[in-house]
Amino acid sequence: MAPVIGEEDQSPGGAGTSGIPTWGSSRSKFGALPWTDYFDEELDVEIGQDSFHVYLAGTQGPVLFCLHGGGSSGLSFALSARMLKEKVKVAAMDMRGHGSTRTSDDLDLSAETLCQDVLDVIRTMYKNDPPSIVLIGHSMGGAIATRVAAKRVLRTLAGLIVVDVVEGTAIASLIHMQKLLSNRPPAFPSVEKAIEWNVKGGSLRNIDSARVSIPPTLKYNEERKCSIYSACSYVWLTPLEKSERHWRGWYEGLSDIFLSAPVAKVLLLAGTDRLDKSLTIGQMQGKFQMIVVRHTGHAIQEDVPEEFSSLVLTFVARNRIGAHGIDIPGLIRQRRSA
């Protein structure tokens, strides 16, 4: 019998047919949480031989189409989705090579391929009657969302929210990426231990978010045998170290592309020292809104989902996105008194 994810069971199991850990209840502080606590349903979008996995929440308002960062999955937006779905719809996609998405070439993480994937999924999901859409992207996903928006091919695209990625900083950090990836534990004896490491030694600060977002970043590897001397069994699903040839292509030219996107846009940053010259000038000219979110790590939507959700809803309301926009108490009065 496969162990319930989160239990300290080091026997084989705990993975579905895809090799990705399955979810189960756990009494542990670092036990996995099911996606069903946050999203309403999941959808597999079939495009040729490829299958793209999308989590859905909400029944009204515009669609917030969310793209995760490298090595993560759509469930990095889980806690935020539970808060957002009362006002808007949320669609969080597992990008190629991530989560439960399966393609004929999971290692092709080029910007061009990822952008085409997003466009294909949106067109397949909404066909000839697309709703108002706001693209939200974190890190790598922010670069892809920006490039999709700038293509000007989504006729109902109404907004762009980019989370903690700026061209200059991103490119400067690439020389350190392989070292950072090599410093990660290559495997874990259980999903629970992986969640614990990501909170204590990784980049996440919110335990509840890690408990739902980390399991789909892992897979069970039967070739690694457990012993008292080594951590094994659960390894990283996405081999990011093999995608190095695509990294620069995600971020190069991103500032000018962001400024050219013909929609309302906001840049959410976890620090104040991230703007390059193009963005500084663009902000002074009022071409986009920049918000610095204090006391958070790189994954703003995971670390502070309440603040993130509030900022997103305020953006949607201020720009009257959707058939009639959405109303937030106090916001309309603020606008009238301005």
Side-chain angles (χ1 to χ4, degrees):
M1 178 178 178
V4 174
I5 294 302
E7 293 181 353
E8 288 299 326
D9 189 328
Q10 297 186 25
S11 60
T17 57
S18 65
I20 294 177
T22 53
W23 286 264
S25 62
S26 174
R27 295 177 297 276
S28 167
K29 177 181 179 181
F30 297 104
L33 296 174
W35 67 265
T36 50
D37 286 353
Y38 306 92
F39 288 94
D40 300 330
E41 59 181 314
E42 57 183 351
L43 176 68
D44 287 317
V45 180
E46 307 295 333
I47 300 173
Q49 297 180 337
D50 301 334
S51 178
F52 294 90
H53 198 73
V54 183
Y55 296 95
L56 302 171
T59 59
Q60 61 182 343
V63 171
L64 308 181
F65 200 89
C66 303
L67 304 177
H68 59 79
S72 189
S73 81
L75 291 184
S76 67
F77 292 92
L79 268 63
S80 297
R82 185 166 64 176
M83 301 172 188
L84 291 166
K85 68 181 184 179
E86 299 302 319
K87 294 281 188 179
V88 296
K89 297 176 184 176
V90 180
M93 170 183 170
D94 286 347
M95 300 178 75
R96 178 181 294 256
H98 295 76
S100 294
T101 285
R102 294 294 175 266
T103 71
S104 57
D105 187 358
D106 285 341
L107 293 179
D108 181 6
L109 300 184
S110 67
E112 295 79 10
T113 297
L114 295 179
C115 285
Q116 191 60 53
D117 288 344
V118 173
L119 289 171
D120 288 343
V121 169
I122 290 176
R123 288 164 175 164
T124 302
M125 286 179 62
Y126 303 113
K127 297 181 172 58
N128 296 323
D129 188 27
S132 294
I133 294 174
V134 176
L135 286 175
I136 301 179
H138 169 241
S139 195
M140 177 195 76
I144 301 306
T146 297
R147 293 178 182 279
V148 170
K151 288 180 179 294
R152 303 173 182 242
V153 294
L154 293 177
R155 61 183 178 85
T156 60
L157 183 64
L160 172 64
I161 300 176
V162 174
V163 184
D164 211 42
V165 58
V166 170
E167 177 185 351
T169 304
I171 290 180
S173 69
L174 292 182
I175 60 174
H176 306 294
M177 280 301 298
Q178 285 290 3
K179 182 177 181 180
L180 289 174
L181 292 174
S182 66
N183 285 338
R184 300 188 304 176
F188 301 91
S190 67
V191 174
E192 183 178 64
K193 287 298 185 183
I195 294 170
E196 182 177 2
W197 179 84
N198 274 275
V199 174
K200 293 183 176 181
S203 61
L204 298 182
R205 301 182 181 182
N206 187 318
I207 294 177
D208 287 340
S209 186
R211 292 173 69 187
V212 67
S213 70
I214 293 304
T217 70
L218 305 167
K219 66 179 179 179
Y220 183 76
N221 186 351
E222 294 182 351
E223 296 179 359
R224 296 183 66 96
K225 302 301 181 181
C226 291
S227 74
I228 61 174
Y229 302 107
S230 64
C232 58
S233 297
Y234 293 97
V235 298
W236 301 106
L237 172 69
T238 306
L240 285 176
E241 66 279 358
K242 295 182 180 180
S243 65
E244 183 175 7
R245 67 186 185 276
H246 302 305
W247 295 348
R248 181 169 291 272
W250 296 343
Y251 305 119
E252 204 161 46
L254 189 62
S255 293
D256 289 336
I257 295 172
F258 175 75
L259 293 172
S260 73
V263 291
K265 44 193 175 283
V266 61
L267 180 60
L268 302 182
L269 297 178
T272 57
D273 58 343
R274 308 273 183 105
L275 289 191
D276 52 31
K277 182 177 180 180
S278 295
L279 290 180
T280 300
I281 294 174
Q283 186 196 17
M284 293 174 63
Q285 294 174 338
K287 292 184 177 180
F288 69 96
Q289 181 184 12
M290 185 188 78
I291 300 175
V292 177
V293 183
R294 309 286 184 181
H295 312 299
T296 180
H298 178 49
I300 297 173
Q301 78 281 7
E302 295 204 55
D303 290 346
V304 287
E306 298 90 349
E307 185 172 359
F308 175 80
S309 300
S310 176
L311 291 171
V312 169
L313 291 178
T314 298
F315 172 81
V316 172
R318 285 190 185 279
N319 291 285
R320 308 304 296 174
I321 295 173
H324 305 290
I326 61 174
D327 292 329
I328 297 178
L331 183 61
I332 300 301
R333 291 195 296 273
Q334 178 181 340
R335 292 176 66 196
R336 289 174 178 171
S337 62

